[in-house]
Amino acid sequence: MSVQSAARRLTAPDIRARKGGEPIVSLTSYHAHTARLIDPHVDFMLVGDSLGMVMHGMETTVPVTVEMMILQGQAVMRGSSRALVVVDLPFGSYEGSPQQAFATASRVLKETGAGAIKLEGGRRMAETVRFLADRGVPVMGHVGLTPQAINTLGSFKALGRDEASAALILDDARSIADAGAFAIVLEAISEPLARQITAEVAPPTIGIGGSSACDGQILVLEDMLGLSDRVPRFVKKFAEIGPAIGAAVEAYASEVRARSFPAAEHVYAPKKV
C-alpha cells in the first residue's frame, strides 16, 4: 500500500477497484475499542444490524433501530482512521420507497461520518439502489440469506442450493450490480453459485458463507473470536476468547472475595506533608 493511500481512510471507490485483485478483508465492529484493534488489518468494517443479536441479545435483527445504528456507527468512526466504515440500514428504514431510503441513508452518513451504507435485497431493491447511487450515496448490496427477512424465510438456512433458487439469487445480484452497488455481500449460498456470481458481476463480492473465490470475506467479529455460543457453519473460530474472559473474571472474583485484591500496588498512600 502506498504512503498516500495509507494516510487516508479507504473509500467505496477504493473497495470497488479491488474487483479481481487482492482479497478484501472485512469484519463487523460495533465499538470504538474493537474498531481500533481491527482497523490496521481490515479494508472495511461493517457496523452491522447484527449488533441487535450480538450486543443486545435480540433473537433477530428486526427490532434494531436507526438510532442504534447511528450510535454504534459514531463509536466505530471514533475508533478507526483507515478502514472504510459501512453502516447497515435497519429493517423498516428503507423498504417503503427510494425516498425513505435516501432520507435514512443521508441521516446515517451525516450523523456518523461513515463512508457507505448497506441494505438487503436484490431485484426488489434495485430501484432504490439506483436512486441512492445517483444521489451520491455509496451502496453495498446484500443477497442470498438476508437476515432482516427472517420472518418470511422462517429460519437461518443456506439458500441457492437448487437450480431454481440459484437462478433467483443470481438475478438479484445482477440487478443490484447493474443499479450501481459498489460491492455485494453474498451470505449463506451454495459455493458454486457464489463463484458464478463473482465471475459475472462487476462489483466485488464479499462472501460470508459463500466461496473462497469471492473478492473478499466478512465475519462477525464476536463469532470468529469465540465469543458467541452458537455460530453458523461458515464461521471459523480463529480464537477462543470467551473461555479466557471467563477465567479472568473467575480469578478476579476469587481475589476480591479473599481480599487479596486490591493489593498495596493498586491503592494510593497518603501524601507526605
Side-chain angles (χ1 to χ4, degrees):
M1 182 175 289
S2 69
V3 172
Q4 181 179 6
S5 62
R8 65 172 178 84
R9 190 183 288 274
L10 294 172
T11 65
D14 292 325
I15 299 300
R16 185 180 180 92
R18 296 275 290 275
K19 178 70 179 183
E22 181 183 9
I24 299 161
V25 179
S26 177
L27 287 167
T28 62
S29 181
Y30 319 117
H31 321 89
H33 65 276
T34 56
R36 192 171 295 112
L37 288 170
I38 70 175
D39 190 47
H41 308 291
V42 301
D43 301 302
F44 77 88
M45 55 185 79
L46 174 67
V47 186
D49 59 359
S50 51
L51 66 85
M53 302 169 76
V54 174
M55 293 180 61
H56 299 280
M58 297 173 177
E59 292 187 2
T60 72
T61 63
V62 172
V64 174
T65 66
V66 174
E67 288 71 25
M68 291 167 69
M69 299 307 306
I70 288 173
L71 182 65
Q72 304 312 138
Q74 291 169 338
V76 169
M77 285 296 294
R78 285 193 291 268
S80 62
S81 60
R82 174 188 167 276
L84 169 68
V85 174
V86 182
V87 180
D88 265 341
L89 298 190
F91 177 74
S93 71
Y94 64 94
E95 299 93 335
S97 68
Q99 291 76 17
Q100 181 200 26
F102 181 75
T104 304
S106 59
R107 180 187 172 194
V108 167
L109 295 181
K110 283 183 177 182
E111 295 188 29
T112 65
I117 59 92
K118 181 174 76 65
L119 53 78
E120 296 181 4
R123 289 155 294 162
R124 65 182 176 84
M125 294 309 301
E127 179 186 358
T128 295
V129 171
R130 181 173 287 107
F131 189 90
L132 295 178
D134 286 348
R135 286 158 179 78
V137 177
V139 180
M140 179 175 288
H142 185 152
V143 302
L145 173 61
T146 49
Q148 292 176 10
I150 186 60
N151 288 331
T152 55
L153 292 173
S155 64
F156 295 107
K157 58 185 178 182
L159 302 174
R161 303 180 77 177
D162 60 83
E163 187 173 340
S165 62
L168 292 175
I169 295 172
L170 176 59
D171 191 31
D172 280 340
R174 286 170 173 165
S175 296
I176 58 173
D178 293 344
F182 74 89
I184 304 174
V185 173
L186 307 180
E187 180 168 359
I189 63 175
S190 71
E191 197 281 336
L193 175 60
R195 186 178 293 271
Q196 180 182 5
I197 292 173
T198 300
E200 293 191 14
V201 300
T205 58
I206 310 298
I208 177 167
S211 170
S212 61
C214 290
D215 296 294
Q217 303 292 329
I218 186 169
L219 286 175
V220 171
L221 178 65
E222 286 75 4
D223 288 352
M224 58 88 74
L225 289 179
L227 291 169
S228 303
D229 292 334
R230 294 186 301 170
V231 297
R233 172 190 172 91
F234 55 71
V235 172
K236 176 180 177 179
K237 292 186 178 182
F238 286 81
E240 287 287 358
I241 304 299
I245 292 174
V249 173
E250 181 181 13
Y252 164 72
S254 177
E255 291 194 17
V256 169
R257 292 181 179 121
R259 297 190 182 276
S260 60
F261 175 84
E265 63 268 27
H266 306 121
V267 297
Y268 299 93
K271 287 185 177 180
K272 295 181 179 179
V273 179

